[in-house]
């Protein structure tokens, strides 16, 4: 995605700071910058806008703002860069927990915005990739457990060895052009229903 195709939502109650952010973003080649001057109905407004990146600037973040940003980060699934004038370790940790991709204290300068935006996008993408991999790994583990349980049912009901039970599962899956886990799920569900 090129910078000119990016839409960036800038959330800042201060018109002067918002102007600095907008100037830095435009200088970085960002095609569309939308200023949101307050945090009322923030999640809904950002969801409707569908920006590629969210940039928020505050003097000092509050728990309420961080909760809203957490909702934005989860619901909109976009990188969020937060600029603050003051912070402490507790607020930094809360920002990380809220899914903020870049948290910059006392660093709002137009010439830095592009690099901070780039790192926010990269960090967000890396985190999203890790989340997908974790979800896939959990799914594979659940499938393995299901297949093991189905093999146990087949071994018990038909007097098969473990290898024979697996071959039967695999053969049924191939014949029906389905995944082994789907066949295993059907066997386990049937066994549960029959008691």
């Amino acid at each position: 995605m090129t910078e000119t195709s990016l839409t960036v939502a800038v959330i800042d109650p201060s018109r002067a700071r918002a102007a600095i952010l907008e100037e830095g973003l435009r200088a970085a080649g960002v095609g569309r910058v939308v200023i949101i001057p307050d945090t009322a109905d923030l999640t809904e407004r950002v969801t409707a806008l569908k920006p590629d990146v969210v940039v928020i600037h505050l003097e000092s973040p509050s728990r309420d703002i961080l909760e809203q940003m957490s909702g934005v980060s989860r619901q909109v699934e976009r990188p969020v860069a937060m600029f603050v004038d003051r912070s402490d370790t507790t607020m930094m940790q809360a920002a990380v927990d809220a899914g903020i991709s870049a948290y910059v204290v006392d660093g709002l300068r137009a010439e830095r915005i592009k690099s901070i935006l780039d790192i926010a996008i990269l960090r967000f993408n890396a985190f999203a990739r890790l989340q997908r991999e974790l979800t896939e790994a959990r799914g594979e583990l659940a499938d393995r457990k299901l297949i093991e349980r189905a093999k146990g049912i087949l071994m018990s009901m038909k007097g098969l060895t473990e290898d024979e039970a697996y071959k039967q599962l695999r053969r049924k899956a191939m014949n029906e052009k389905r995944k082994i886990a789907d066949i295993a799920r059907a066997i386990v569900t049937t066994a549960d229903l029959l008691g």
Side-chain angles (χ1 to χ4, degrees):
M1 184 177 303
T2 63
E3 280 80 9
T4 56
S5 67
L6 284 179
T7 296
V8 177
V10 174
I11 304 160
D12 197 330
S14 164
R15 289 180 191 248
R17 287 189 317 232
I20 293 170
L21 279 166
E22 185 173 13
E23 176 188 328
L25 292 166
R26 296 229 186 263
V30 172
R32 183 171 175 229
V33 178
V34 179
I35 307 295
I36 300 174
D38 58 61
T39 58
D41 302 318
L42 186 59
T43 303
E44 293 81 13
R45 290 162 74 186
V46 172
T47 301
L49 180 61
K50 296 181 177 124
D52 298 298
V53 181
V54 176
V55 176
I56 184 166
H57 188 270
L58 303 165
E59 287 182 23
S60 181
S62 67
R63 292 245 177 243
D64 290 342
I65 293 293
L66 289 174
E67 282 180 23
Q68 281 185 307
M69 293 314 297
S70 178
V72 167
S73 182
R74 276 194 311 271
Q75 194 165 345
V76 180
E77 295 182 350
R78 296 291 189 268
V80 177
M82 181 177 275
F83 292 86
V84 296
D85 294 338
R86 297 182 302 278
S87 188
D88 59 37
T89 306
T90 304
M91 280 297 145
M92 285 183 219
Q93 184 61 53
V96 169
D97 293 344
I100 304 299
S101 303
Y103 187 84
V104 182
V105 180
D106 194 28
L108 181 58
R109 289 194 306 275
E111 66 274 5
R112 292 184 62 208
I113 292 172
K114 166 94 169 77
S115 60
I116 291 168
L117 204 62
D118 289 345
I119 197 69
I121 293 169
L122 291 170
R123 184 170 182 263
F124 176 83
N125 290 339
F127 185 75
R129 186 184 69 250
L130 289 173
Q131 286 292 103
R132 279 192 306 275
E133 290 171 1
L134 177 61
T135 300
E136 289 170 10
R138 285 181 176 158
E140 289 172 10
L141 180 60
D143 286 351
R144 284 186 193 155
K145 287 180 180 179
L146 197 60
I147 291 167
E148 289 301 315
R149 188 162 171 218
K151 285 191 317 189
I153 292 167
L154 290 175
M155 290 164 58
S156 168
M157 288 178 61
K158 295 187 169 193
L160 302 173
T161 67
E162 184 176 355
D163 190 47
E164 290 168 334
Y166 182 76
K167 285 179 181 174
Q168 195 171 55
L169 281 170
R170 190 177 68 204
R171 186 174 30 258
K172 181 87 168 150
M174 286 172 51
N175 288 342
E176 294 185 14
K177 293 180 175 44
R178 293 171 54 195
K179 293 180 180 179
I180 292 177
D182 293 338
I183 301 299
R185 187 173 292 106
I187 290 169
V188 169
T189 300
T190 302
D192 287 347
L193 285 173
L194 296 176

